[in-house]
Amino acid sequence: MATLLDALNAAVNHHMAGHADAAADAYRRILAVEPAQPDTLHLSGVLRAQTGDPAAAVRWIARAVRVRPSTAAPWSHLGAALRAAEMPERAEPVLRRALALDPADADALEALGASLHALAHYPDARRWLERAARLRPSHAATLLNLGTVLRDQRRFAEAEACFDAVLARNPASADAHLARAVGRLVRGDLRAGWEGFEHRWHRFDTPPWDGRPPGSATILLHMDQGFGDAIQFVRYAPLVARIAADGGGRVILETHLLLYRLFNRCLGSSMQVLVRGEDPPPHDIQCPLMSLPRAFGTGLEDIPASMPYLAPAPDDVVRWRDRLADQDGTDGAGLRVGLVWAGNPHHRNDRNRSIPVTALCPLLAVPGVRFVSLQTGDAAAGLDRLSGAGVPNAMGRVRDFADTAAILANLDLLVTVDTAIAHLAGAMGLPCWLMLPHVPDWRWLLDRADSPWYPSLRLFRQARPGDWTTALGTAAAVLKAHAARAVRGMGH
């Protein structure tokens, strides 16, 4: 007669052989008999982590830890699952507990370093990852994580050495190519960066366009990343259309519904603009929008930055001018300044790029300014609680980016974190102050207050990780001077 141990051994054998469904079923049968069997709870969670469900993994392994809290491995796997579920704050103490039980657990060392990196604790992250790397010097994930931390600390030569070590063992590692590319791009070495950047995911099997005249072919340009990326790189679409037209070819631009009206108005005369569907339209060759800089051989000195390349419809601008005037509730005096302080909460770096609403107080205290919230999502309600509903939100009737563009056309200035609306303001050539975390996205480069991609942007950077107080204090002082000049100008 089979014992519970026999059943567990059979389940583990299925698990180790990669038979996930059979292993999950076997674990379920064991837990139906003994619901608190700790090894089964633990391994059920590990299986869920391995099959891409870190939230379920957290629930199962947490049960195992409660039943048997003195074993290191469940704590280590629980911390790794919390990290994978984008909960580094919860992962950190769990992983420290795992390492207290087993200081040589390289998986826990790596996961702790990666969690601290996500929390922008760069020196601590590096120390833990270096310990992991000493235990397993050629481990790809450890080297990638260590290289990424070193890159974000601007130790670029050491970071590249980590990425090169991964690529020496696995030349096809997309993660290593991309991590190395980001380090090159953020330093302004764009041409070298674009090459590595091609290792991101691609949608289609049709031949890629490489920048050469396509003859009579139809070129499909398409989104492969987010809204901001599409807005930034759609500037190249008219250049592609001119090259194609010279040889009798044509261009199709496939985009998201929320960008369609804006792109079609601004670009539809030179190409066909379509909303992305289940299947791509017929085409001969294709190019993701984010691959266009590589196709054109773009370097830092020759970024196409002729502004504006996007603009709202005049009728939309008038309609939103009237709506904003109704919201003002004042005599209309003073600068009208838009505010966006939070990005997509599901973005992996949102905890570092978004601003706590309470940190906006120095800006909101500047006299002579009519603030308008352009914040979307759950974060929008935070300003009402902070300011007593004194700042109207303009986004309630917005349908798409064409409407957002019309709102921007009625502002004197936009102050925003790194999200799609900054790209939209830049593409329209409108004044925009961009609040950046200490480690910025690659496209904003390092240590400069301007952007070669968008001449109308001014960049305010954190002096230290998490230090929004200094960045916003500086922005508030500059805004106060702008508002005072505007008042003096009205007096004349």
Side-chain angles (χ1 to χ4, degrees):
M1 182 175 183
T3 65
L4 199 64
L5 181 59
D6 294 329
L8 182 57
N9 286 335
V12 170
N13 287 335
H14 283 305
H15 192 159
M16 294 179 67
H19 305 149
D21 290 342
D25 186 57
Y27 289 143
R28 275 194 296 270
R29 288 199 301 271
I30 295 168
L31 292 170
V33 176
E34 189 173 335
Q37 210 291 317
D39 292 316
T40 308
L41 291 169
H42 174 205
L43 293 171
S44 292
V46 170
L47 180 64
R48 281 159 176 80
Q50 292 168 341
T51 53
D53 190 353
V58 168
R59 292 193 296 272
W60 283 99
I61 304 174
R63 289 174 61 189
V65 163
R66 287 194 293 271
V67 174
R68 193 165 59 192
S70 60
T71 305
W75 285 101
S76 176
H77 291 142
L78 177 58
L82 286 163
R83 174 208 162 199
E86 303 290 346
M87 293 186 278
E89 299 93 340
R90 290 180 57 191
E92 180 187 353
V94 168
L95 290 162
R96 290 185 186 277
R97 177 69 178 272
L99 289 165
L101 293 167
D102 181 3
D105 184 337
D107 286 333
L109 289 166
E110 180 197 320
L112 179 56
S115 298
L116 291 167
H117 178 219
L119 296 169
H121 300 159
Y122 303 110
D124 286 344
R126 189 179 92 237
R127 282 193 289 271
W128 289 105
L129 286 164
E130 285 173 341
R131 284 181 58 182
R134 285 193 292 270
L135 287 173
R136 47 187 190 190
S138 60
H139 190 266
T142 300
L143 287 171
L144 273 171
N145 280 309
L146 177 57
T148 303
V149 172
L150 290 165
R151 184 194 69 201
D152 289 349
Q153 288 190 298
R154 304 191 186 186
R155 302 165 73 107
F156 294 110
E158 295 168 74
E160 288 229 355
C162 290
F163 303 141
D164 289 346
V166 176
L167 291 169
R169 297 175 67 87
N170 180 10
S173 171
D175 289 337
H177 280 290
L178 286 168
R180 188 172 65 177
V182 168
R184 293 172 175 179
L185 290 168
V186 78
R187 282 177 284 166
D189 188 3
L190 299 190
R191 291 189 181 93
W194 302 135
E195 292 303 316
F197 213 49
E198 283 302 292
H199 286 264
R200 58 191 200 284
W201 170 80
H202 289 283
R203 287 174 58 201
F204 302 130
D205 294 327
T206 43
W209 181 62
D210 60 4
R212 289 179 291 186
S216 60
T218 295
I219 305 175
L220 174 65
L221 305 180
H222 56 96
M223 291 176 61
D224 69 325
Q225 300 285 323
F227 293 121
D229 302 303
I231 292 168
Q232 180 176 4
F233 295 111
V234 81
R235 70 182 69 207
Y236 288 91
L239 307 180
V240 181
R242 285 200 288 273
I243 293 172
D246 288 344
R250 60 190 290 260
V251 173
I252 300 173
L253 172 61
E254 182 200 63
T255 190
H256 192 281
L257 176 63
L258 293 179
L259 286 167
Y260 169 77
R261 197 159 60 97
L262 180 64
F263 283 3
N264 188 53
R265 178 184 179 278
C266 299
L267 304 168
S269 62
S270 59
M271 67 194 72
Q272 184 180 12
V273 182
L274 299 174
V275 175
R276 176 175 175 172
E278 288 286 327
D279 299 308
H283 63 281
D284 302 302
I285 51 181
Q286 53 81 29
C287 190
L289 290 175
M290 291 192 74
S291 293
L292 288 172
R294 175 177 177 268
F296 281 90
T298 301
L300 197 59
E301 71 285 352
D302 53 14
I303 291 171
S306 178
M307 302 293 156
Y309 59 89
L310 296 178
D315 288 350
D316 285 346
V317 175
V318 171
R319 184 170 66 256
W320 280 101
R321 181 191 65 196
D322 294 341
R323 288 178 179 174
L324 290 171
D326 289 342
Q327 282 189 326
D328 274 343
T330 69
D331 59 4
L335 298 177
R336 182 184 279 147
V337 177
L339 280 179
V340 178
W341 59 93
N344 179 353
H346 301 297
H347 188 281
R348 62 180 178 80
N349 195 42
D350 190 63
R351 66 178 50 81
N352 292 316
R353 69 170 184 165
S354 290
I355 298 174
V357 70
T358 52
L360 298 176
C361 290
L363 276 179
L364 296 172
V366 174
V369 177
R370 294 170 291 157
F371 287 103
V372 180
S373 170
L374 276 68
Q375 183 63 54
T376 59
D378 294 341
L383 194 58
D384 289 341
R385 293 190 293 270
L386 178 69
S387 61
V391 177
N393 188 296
M395 303 301 285
R397 296 165 72 179
V398 166
R399 297 166 292 174
D400 56 16
F401 279 95
D403 278 339
T404 305
I407 294 174
L408 291 177
N410 284 286
L411 301 181
D412 296 298
L413 171 68
L414 172 69
V415 180
T416 180
V417 294
D418 183 7
T419 189
I421 199 168
H423 292 275
L424 181 56
M428 294 170 62
L430 298 176
C432 173
W433 294 358
L434 180 59
M435 313 303 299
L436 291 175
H438 182 67
V439 176
D441 187 80
W442 61 263
R443 74 201 74 214
W444 308 121
L445 306 170
L446 299 171
D447 300 327
R448 53 191 294 172
D450 67 331
S451 168
W453 294 99
Y454 301 114
S456 67
L457 263 59
R458 178 169 179 172
L459 312 183
F460 292 80
R461 300 173 182 268
Q462 285 184 346
R464 295 169 297 281
D467 180 16
W468 287 119
T469 300
T470 302
L472 284 161
T474 302
V478 178
L479 181 59
K480 185 175 181 179
H482 276 246
R485 283 196 296 271
V487 169
R488 289 197 297 272
M490 292 177 60
H492 294 295

